[in-house]
Amino acid sequence: MAVVHVVKPGLLTTVQDRGRCGFQALGVSVAGPMDPTSHRLANAMAGNLGDAATLEVTSVGPELVFEDERLVAIAGALFEMSVDREPAPSTGSFVVAAGAALRFGRRLRGTRAYLAVAGGIETPQVFGSRATHLPSTMGGLGGRALQAGDRLPCGPVRKLPVATAGPRALPEGASTGLPDGSARLRVLAGPQADRFSAGALDVLQSGPYKIAQHSNRMGFRLEGPPLAHVHGADVISDATPLGVVQVPASGQPILLMADRQTTGGYAKLATVITADIGLAGQLGPGDSITFVVCSLREAMASLIAQEQHMMAAEATLMAQQGPLR
């Protein structure tokens, strides 16, 4: 089995697939990509199915040496890229020759890039997933971020047609866009908006809220206008969806992300809509968020439109490079 050698690991590079779904009732967190849209696009451009494992690259990227020739694809945050010190596309797909070194350089915009390798990263599965969950040290390579000297096994890949050997751009309209220091995130009220004082949703929208330095994949600790509870912050622990805004007694909200706990006992004022999760995943410490309450109709329409763009992009890529694996 061919491998990718990790020369430099970057700041926080982890193996991620779609996540470990179906086990939250057993206390097993989902994990998966912070920006699911970019993860999916990278896989499509590399000729993989959407559940293949990619590398999630955070803020400072790795240096990788490829044991065999591979088609690779990058989506999400923009980095200066090079192959054997020659410039390479910041997004899209291209071939890395056997023995060549792929390097991530200066980050230009966004926080997390997704590197897909044709055939996928084939680390062992845990509960049916290769996703790295850092708090429980589960999945990926020993449940941790990459380290220098690691060897990443890759799945088998078909011979690349000549037509796929050149770089291909990200399909137009497929990306959720990249924030430039701030983002507007749409939310639905609840599930426990009644646990907050009248006008709490107006306060939430009065922001902006700054992402604190001690934020991570589990959640973004936010600093901004305090949110007041009625009858205290604690509730009987219940499920914590991706993108939920929970508020402890301090009144400073926490936006729960990919590595979130399965249940939580703080009241939850609002939830980021699914169509905006990818945008949230491109934020990092020091960035700011403005929340906007939207209707369920708008949330559903936005998700449908996003899925239509994604399906069109996948169809375009399939036509360019043959059936997805």
Side-chain angles (χ1 to χ4, degrees):
M1 178 179 288
V3 301
V4 174
H5 300 265
V6 180
V7 179
K8 296 179 181 178
L11 179 65
L12 180 66
T13 305
T14 59
V15 176
Q16 298 295 341
D17 60 14
R18 279 178 174 167
R20 200 163 278 107
C21 298
F23 298 98
Q24 289 189 86
L26 302 177
V28 179
S29 295
V30 176
M34 292 281 278
D35 178 354
T37 302
S38 294
H39 165 82
R40 181 174 169 184
L41 282 171
N43 266 326
M45 289 189 292
N48 298 331
L49 290 175
D51 59 355
T54 67
L55 294 182
E56 181 181 89
V57 174
T58 307
S59 297
V60 178
E63 178 180 338
L64 308 168
V65 173
F66 286 70
E67 192 170 87
D68 67 349
E69 179 180 275
R70 291 276 165 162
L71 179 71
V72 302
I74 304 171
L78 297 178
F79 287 79
E80 291 179 345
M81 302 295 304
S82 66
V83 177
D84 283 347
R85 304 196 181 279
E86 293 295 323
S90 295
T91 60
S93 61
F94 53 93
V95 172
V96 179
L102 175 66
R103 295 179 177 89
F104 282 74
R106 182 168 61 99
R107 178 167 58 99
L108 304 175
R109 189 163 180 170
T111 299
R112 295 170 182 87
Y114 293 84
L115 175 66
V117 178
I121 304 296
E122 292 205 340
T123 54
Q125 292 188 339
V126 181
F127 287 105
S129 170
R130 296 183 170 91
T132 306
H133 183 245
L134 296 171
S136 66
T137 64
M138 181 183 295
L141 283 176
R144 57 168 174 78
L146 298 191
Q147 297 176 358
D150 281 341
R151 294 163 53 87
L152 295 166
C154 298
V157 62
R158 69 184 187 276
K159 178 71 175 178
L160 297 174
V162 174
T164 70
R168 284 194 303 278
L170 195 70
E172 185 176 354
S175 174
T176 55
L178 293 174
D180 189 11
S182 63
R184 173 182 175 270
L185 299 181
R186 292 168 292 177
V187 298
L188 294 173
Q192 290 140 359
D194 60 332
R195 300 284 303 186
F196 294 84
S197 62
L201 286 170
D202 292 330
V203 175
L204 180 70
Q205 294 177 92
S206 72
Y209 286 87
K210 183 178 179 180
I211 300 177
Q213 291 300 316
H214 51 296
S215 298
N216 53 33
R217 277 180 46 88
M218 189 170 180
F220 296 159
R221 292 186 177 273
L222 305 179
E223 300 170 345
L227 301 164
H229 300 86
V230 175
H231 308 306
D234 295 336
V235 297
I236 297 174
S237 290
D238 62 359
T240 52
L242 177 62
V244 78
V245 179
Q246 69 173 17
V247 186
S250 67
Q252 294 298 295
I254 302 170
L255 174 58
L256 297 185
M257 297 297 290
D259 276 358
R260 66 199 179 280
Q261 71 276 23
T262 56
T263 62
Y266 293 134
K268 294 169 277 294
L269 176 60
T271 306
V272 174
I273 67 172
T274 302
D276 284 359
I277 288 295
L279 181 58
Q282 287 298 337
L283 295 167
D287 290 340
S288 62
I289 297 172
T290 300
F291 292 105
V292 179
V293 176
C294 73
S295 67
L296 180 59
R297 180 182 295 272
E298 181 181 347
M300 293 179 67
S302 297
L303 181 58
I304 290 169
Q306 183 183 78
E307 185 63 22
Q308 288 174 334
H309 283 306
M310 289 293 299
M311 291 176 68
E314 288 172 336
T316 298
L317 292 164
M318 183 182 294
Q320 291 176 348
Q321 61 190 9
L324 296 177
R325 275 177 295 279

